[in-house]
Amino acid sequence: VVNNNIRVANSDGIDILGGADVVIENCFIATGDDGICLKTEESSPALSGVTVANCEVISLANCFKIGTETYHDISDVTVSDCSFYMPGIAGGYSGIAIEATDGGKTSDIRISDITMHNVTAPMLIWLGNRNGNSELENVTVENITADQCDLPSAVTGHKYGKVKNVTLKNFDVTYRSATSDLKIYKGDSVYCGALNMKGY
């Protein structure tokens, strides 16, 4: 059990910084930052062979996350039979976030049988170019049920790199009822609205 103060920044539940053959299972995590986070810093080794199973995570950031620090390869990650929540107050990002930004290759990620409630967005798969040309490929996400969501999921690369080989199966999302028109973006014009997403 990891029961952090959800009002404290940088309060990740479990961080794994490189290594091999890691098992995280039967955990309850409540935290103000990422619940379970896999990453590789400049000084850490590559990370491979990670299993996450049968965990309940309450997070004001991302419930399960790979990245954003990905200086070295992250591969062979399996996440299954977990429940992800956000506590219903301001904040929060994704139930599942897979991010590669710093030069390493993130590949062979399998996520299945996940239920989510009240997360802002169910999933973000993002290839960035912060500190090097990362690669992000071979990701399978299946048997996902999420309700009371606010924003859609996204799979996105950048002008120099593309995410490759993503499979989504049985992805069931129900959004929260809302009446506001955000007027985010249209063509080359950014609209004035409650949410300004200039550049996206």
Side-chain angles (χ1 to χ4, degrees):
V1 174
V2 179
N3 187 10
N4 287 340
N5 186 336
I6 64 172
R7 294 173 178 83
V8 174
N10 299 320
S11 59
D12 288 2
I14 297 175
D15 280 358
I16 305 297
L17 298 174
D21 302 324
V22 177
V23 177
I24 301 169
E25 61 183 9
N26 304 322
C27 297
F28 174 84
I29 298 167
T31 184
D33 211 322
D34 298 326
I36 298 171
C37 187
L38 314 180
K39 50 190 171 183
T40 56
E41 296 178 338
E42 287 186 276
S43 60
S44 67
L47 176 59
S48 64
V50 178
T51 299
V52 179
N54 195 33
C55 293
E56 293 191 16
V57 181
I58 299 171
S59 170
L60 272 175
N62 301 285
C63 294
F64 172 79
K65 182 179 179 181
I66 297 176
T68 53
E69 293 173 301
T70 51
Y71 286 92
H72 307 286
D73 294 354
I74 298 175
S75 62
D76 189 21
V77 176
T78 300
V79 181
S80 63
D81 300 303
C82 294
S83 298
F84 298 154
Y85 309 91
M86 287 182 185
I89 60 177
Y93 305 117
S94 300
I96 300 164
I98 302 170
E99 306 176 8
T101 62
D102 299 308
K105 181 178 181 179
T106 299
S107 62
D108 302 310
I109 312 300
R110 299 167 298 276
I111 300 176
S112 64
D113 301 298
I114 307 295
T115 59
M116 306 184 207
H117 177 70
N118 213 38
V119 299
T120 302
M123 182 191 71
L124 171 64
I125 298 175
W126 172 50
L127 174 63
N129 188 25
R130 181 173 60 186
N131 290 308
N133 291 321
S134 293
E135 298 176 69
L136 178 51
E137 61 184 46
N138 301 335
V139 178
T140 299
V141 182
E142 60 184 338
N143 301 332
I144 305 298
T145 302
D147 65 12
Q148 295 296 305
C149 298
D150 288 310
L151 296 175
S153 296
V155 179
T156 181
H158 56 86
K159 63 181 179 179
Y160 302 113
K162 296 179 179 179
V163 180
K164 299 177 183 178
N165 301 330
V166 174
T167 301
L168 305 179
K169 295 181 181 178
N170 301 327
F171 203 94
D172 185 357
V173 178
T174 303
Y175 292 93
R176 188 190 317 276
S177 297
T179 57
S180 61
D181 182 0
L182 298 179
K183 297 181 180 178
I184 296 172
Y185 188 80
K186 183 178 181 181
D188 293 327
S189 300
V190 177
Y191 289 2
C192 294
L195 183 62
N196 187 330
M197 298 284 283
K198 185 176 182 179
Y200 284 79

